[in-house]
Amino acid sequence: MKISPRQTKIPVGISQCAMGDPVRFNGGHKHSKVCTELLGQCFEYVPLCPEVAIGMGVPRKPIHLLVDRAGAEVDAVRVVGVEDPAVDVTGPLRDYADSVVPQLQKIRGYIFMQNSPSCGLHGVRRYLANGHGIDSEGIGVFARRLQQQFPHLPMEEVGRLNNSELRENFLTRVFAYDAWYRYVEGEEPAEAEKQPSRTARIIEFYTAYKYLLLAHNQDATRALGRLLADAGAMPEDELAQAMRGGIMEILSRPASRKDRTNALMHSQGHLREFLSKEEKAELQQLIDEYRRGLKPLSAVLTLLRHYLPRSPHGFIHSQVLLAAEPAELGLCDFR
Ligand code: SF4
């Protein structure tokens, strides 16, 4: 199986204030150019503001997360008014998240606004009833509910996407999640029909992602391979769930230079027999320079791709690690 590039933008949910819409409690917005101008080149956004959607209006009184002690369970929170704790919108926010689940079935990622008691994904400040901040271990109630509804969906915060490594990792996860639905779940019937069964498509998918997964976590990738090999009579739905979850978890850990070097060495191994002595030495030197931080990954990938047509073997041609980056697909022209 070779995963071909998607020809249309990928649907991704986003906190509406990040789009520049004035929906914040104070009537402002938090426009993110990284989201709208950069990632907007490959994402088709589905903007939602849960607080406006439940009728809180703009402007509105601020709300925050309330707990009864430091370190309380993530779901043991209420979302209440800062000035009037009797205003409790926990239930409406959770119900609203549940209500948009059908609308979000086609999204392949979600970008949340940080520090929000509704949308924050990491480290949201939590308060005691006396108004004192007690810890920063909260997750916005809307974001948390969507996490539970879509456990493998790639999610990230707006602010963290300013970091190029985290942005690349989010893109990798969104593209993988999208590819899973297109190939394994048959959203592209023409592709799915080429494979005899869904189980066969799961195997093909794991195989195509193998070297990319190795670049993120070698041990977990091998464990996932063993799970697949031993799947035996495991029900197909169960296998699909386990594999999709395993793949998304592995990709959520940023690739290290060491693990990437290892995956590049594996790729090189498939091409060596087609290279001259000088070409082998040049490729080996380039990988070594990448390992030592002297050359960028793109330099190694470019040379590997240059030699790729010499190999007749389908396995190495199928590797997503060596495939075109999102930026090269014409969808994300931001490098
Ligand atoms: S953070 Fe979420 S709830 Fe707050 S304004 Fe933005 S979209 Fe609305």
Side-chain angles (χ1 to χ4, degrees):
M1 180 187 81
K2 183 149 173 65
I3 296 180
S4 57
R6 184 187 174 111
Q7 299 303 318
T8 54
K9 291 186 177 185
I10 301 176
V12 168
I14 190 168
S15 294
Q16 193 173 347
C17 53
M19 298 295 290
D21 293 345
V23 291
R24 293 191 74 219
F25 74 97
N26 58 5
H29 60 74
K30 281 200 151 187
H31 182 208
S32 162
K33 285 190 175 180
V34 167
C35 291
T36 59
E37 294 177 17
L38 208 58
L39 298 176
Q41 294 173 54
C42 50
F43 294 160
E44 185 75 52
Y45 286 120
V46 179
L48 297 175
C49 175
E51 292 177 18
V52 168
I54 64 170
M56 293 183 71
V58 181
R60 56 187 172 272
K61 296 271 170 62
I63 51 180
H64 65 191
L65 295 179
L66 181 71
V67 285
D68 61 6
R69 61 183 169 81
E73 290 289 310
V74 71
D75 291 316
V77 297
R78 310 297 301 171
V79 191
V80 301
V82 173
E83 295 169 11
D84 180 5
V87 175
D88 186 331
V89 290
T90 317
L93 283 170
R94 287 180 177 151
D95 290 347
Y96 174 66
D98 291 343
S99 77
V100 294
V101 167
Q103 184 191 341
L104 299 181
Q105 286 302 319
K106 294 278 182 191
I107 64 164
R108 300 297 174 242
Y110 208 112
I111 301 173
F112 289 105
M113 183 55 68
Q114 62 273 7
N115 301 327
S116 156
S118 302
C119 294
L121 198 55
H122 308 284
V124 180
R125 194 86 178 128
R126 307 196 296 184
Y127 296 82
L128 295 172
N130 62 12
H132 290 157
I134 189 70
D135 68 23
S136 297
E137 295 176 26
I139 299 177
V141 164
F142 176 72
R144 172 65 179 162
R145 197 65 158 200
L146 291 188
Q147 260 185 347
Q148 291 167 326
Q149 294 281 6
F150 299 97
H152 307 145
L153 182 72
M155 296 179 170
E156 193 46 279
E157 285 189 337
V158 174
R160 284 164 52 95
L161 290 170
N162 291 323
N163 176 300
S164 61
E165 277 185 32
L166 295 175
R167 191 166 64 236
E168 182 200 312
N169 181 263
F170 182 62
L171 275 167
T172 300
R173 288 185 287 138
V174 171
F175 275 71
Y177 193 78
D178 180 60
W180 175 276
Y181 277 95
R182 287 193 292 127
Y183 285 86
V184 176
E185 304 301 351
E187 280 187 2
E188 284 188 2
E191 294 297 334
E193 281 166 16
K194 289 177 196 164
Q195 304 298 330
S197 69
R198 186 167 169 232
T199 300
R201 297 199 298 272
I202 292 170
I203 294 168
E204 291 281 312
F205 190 91
Y206 170 78
T207 305
Y209 266 84
K210 185 163 180 185
Y211 284 179
L212 182 64
L213 294 172
L214 278 176
H216 284 258
N217 189 329
Q218 295 188 48
D219 291 344
T221 301
R222 295 199 175 95
L224 203 58
R226 285 194 295 277
L227 185 147
L228 191 55
D230 298 341
M234 186 189 285
E236 205 170 54
D237 278 346
E238 212 176 291
L239 176 65
Q241 277 275 95
M243 290 302 294
R244 191 184 65 189
I247 288 169
M248 297 315 300
E249 195 176 327
I250 290 170
L251 293 178
S252 68
R253 173 173 134 170
S256 70
R257 194 171 285 269
K258 180 169 166 274
D259 285 347
R260 266 194 180 134
T261 300
N262 183 275
L264 294 170
M265 292 293 288
H266 279 296
S267 304
Q268 176 199 227
H270 288 268
L271 297 171
R272 286 181 69 81
E273 64 178 297
F274 307 105
L275 305 183
S276 69
K277 196 174 156 201
E278 293 73 28
E279 288 169 337
K280 278 183 214 165
E282 182 193 25
L283 183 54
Q284 180 60 54
Q285 185 182 340
L286 196 54
I287 293 175
D288 197 51
E289 286 174 346
Y290 166 73
R291 180 184 63 78
R292 291 187 287 139
L294 304 174
K295 285 279 162 58
L297 176 67
S298 59
V300 187
L301 289 176
T302 301
L303 195 56
L304 284 169
R305 287 181 202 140
H306 176 69
Y307 294 137
L308 198 54
R310 298 189 193 180
S311 169
H313 304 305
F315 174 82
I316 193 66
H317 282 271
S318 76
Q319 289 309 300
V320 174
L321 176 72
L322 303 182
E325 297 289 310
E328 297 168 62
L329 303 180
L331 287 172
C332 307
D333 185 23
F334 48 74
R335 297 220 168 171

